[in-house]
C-alpha cells in the first residue's frame, strides 16, 4: 500500500521535539484491511472513527485514541448474524529514537497508528460471540434454531426401560383406581 493511502497515518510535524504541545485530530475512514480473524471481525470498508489526542513529550509523541466502529460475525451457538459495536481506547508513546524501549517510533514527520488501532480493536472483539445472553443455540439432532421451535419434547428420547416402567405404573394405577 502506498504510504499516502494509509488512513491511519497522522502527521505530527508540529509536535515533534516540542514538549507540552498538544493537538486533537478526528479521523473517519473506511477500514482498508479487515481487523481480526475470529468469529467477529471489522470488515474491509467498514467506517472507523478515530478521535486522537497527540502530545509532544521529550522522548516522543504520546497518542491517545478513542476508536469507534462496528464488527460483524455470527453467533457461535445459533449462527445468526451479529453486529457488535466496537468502542475502545488506546494510549501509546511513539518514540523519536528506535533505540528506546518503545514498540513504536515517529517516522520522519508522522506516526502510523495502524498496528496500535488493530491491536486495540482485535483484543476487544468477543472470542465466543453470542447473539444474546442465554441463546439456546441449535437442536443437536435437527439443526433447528431452538429459540424458534421452543424446548424439545423430552419424550422423543425415552429409554425403552423407562417405557416399560411407565406401562407397569399405568397398570398399577388401574388396580388401585378401578373405573
Ligand atoms: Zn444465537
Amino acid at each position: 500500500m502506498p504510504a499516502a493511502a494509509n488512513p491511519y497515518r497522522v502527521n505530527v510535524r508540529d509536535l515533534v521535539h516540542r514538549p507540552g504541545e498538544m493537538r486533537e485530530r478526528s479521523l473517519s475512514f473506511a477500514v482498508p484491511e479487515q481487523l481480526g480473524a475470529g468469529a467477529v471481525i471489522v470488515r474491509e470498508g467498514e467506517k472507523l472513527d478515530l478521535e486522537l489526542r497527540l502530545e509532544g513529550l521529550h522522548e516522543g509523541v504520546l497518542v491517545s485514541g478513542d476508536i469507534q466502529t462496528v464488527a460483524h460475525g455470527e453467533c457461535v451457538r445459533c449462527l445468526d448474524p451479529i453486529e457488535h459495536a466496537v468502542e475502545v481506547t488506546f494510549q501509546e508513546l511513539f518514540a523519536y529514537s528506535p533505540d528506546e524501549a518503545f514498540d513504536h517510533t515517529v517516522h520522519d514527520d508522522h506516526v502510523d497508528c495502524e498496528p496500535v488501532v488493530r491491536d486495540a480493536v482485535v483484543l476487544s472483539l468477543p472470542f465466543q460471540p453470542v447473539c444474546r445472553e442465554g441463546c439456546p443455540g441449535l437442536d443437536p439432532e435437527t439443526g433447528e434454531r431452538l429459540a424458534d421451535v421452543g424446548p424439545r419434547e423430552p419424550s422423543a428420547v425415552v429409554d425403552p426401560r423407562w417405557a416399560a416402567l411407565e406401562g407397569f405404573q399405568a397398570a398399577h394405577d388401574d388396580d388401585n383406581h378401578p373405573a
Side-chain angles (χ1 to χ4, degrees), residues 75 77-78 131 135:
C75 172
R77 295 186 193 152
C78 75
C131 59
C135 167

Side-chain angles (χ1 to χ4, degrees), residues 74-80 82 129-132 134-137 145:
E74 53 185 34
C75 172
V76 292
R77 295 186 193 152
C78 75
L79 308 182
D80 262 3
I82 290 180
V130 288
C131 59
R132 59 187 169 87
C135 167
R145 197 170 284 128

Side-chain angles (χ1 to χ4, degrees), residues 90-162:
F90 67 87
Q91 188 168 67
E92 192 71 38
L93 188 104
F94 290 75
Y96 298 130
S97 162
D99 298 334
E100 292 180 57
F102 298 107
D103 292 337
H104 304 279
T105 52
V106 175
H107 300 287
D108 301 325
D109 59 356
H110 70 272
V111 293
D112 180 7
C113 294
E114 198 270 348
V116 179
V117 169
R118 176 178 293 277
D119 283 357
V121 169
V122 170
L123 286 173
S124 79
L125 296 176
F127 186 61
Q128 296 274 320
V130 288
C131 59
R132 59 187 169 87
E133 208 165 323
C135 167
L138 300 177
D139 185 302
E141 289 180 5
T142 66
E144 284 177 288
R145 197 170 284 128
L146 289 175
D148 296 340
V149 300
R152 205 151 50 91
E153 288 295 323
S155 60
V157 284
V158 170
D159 186 305
R161 287 167 296 178
W162 291 112

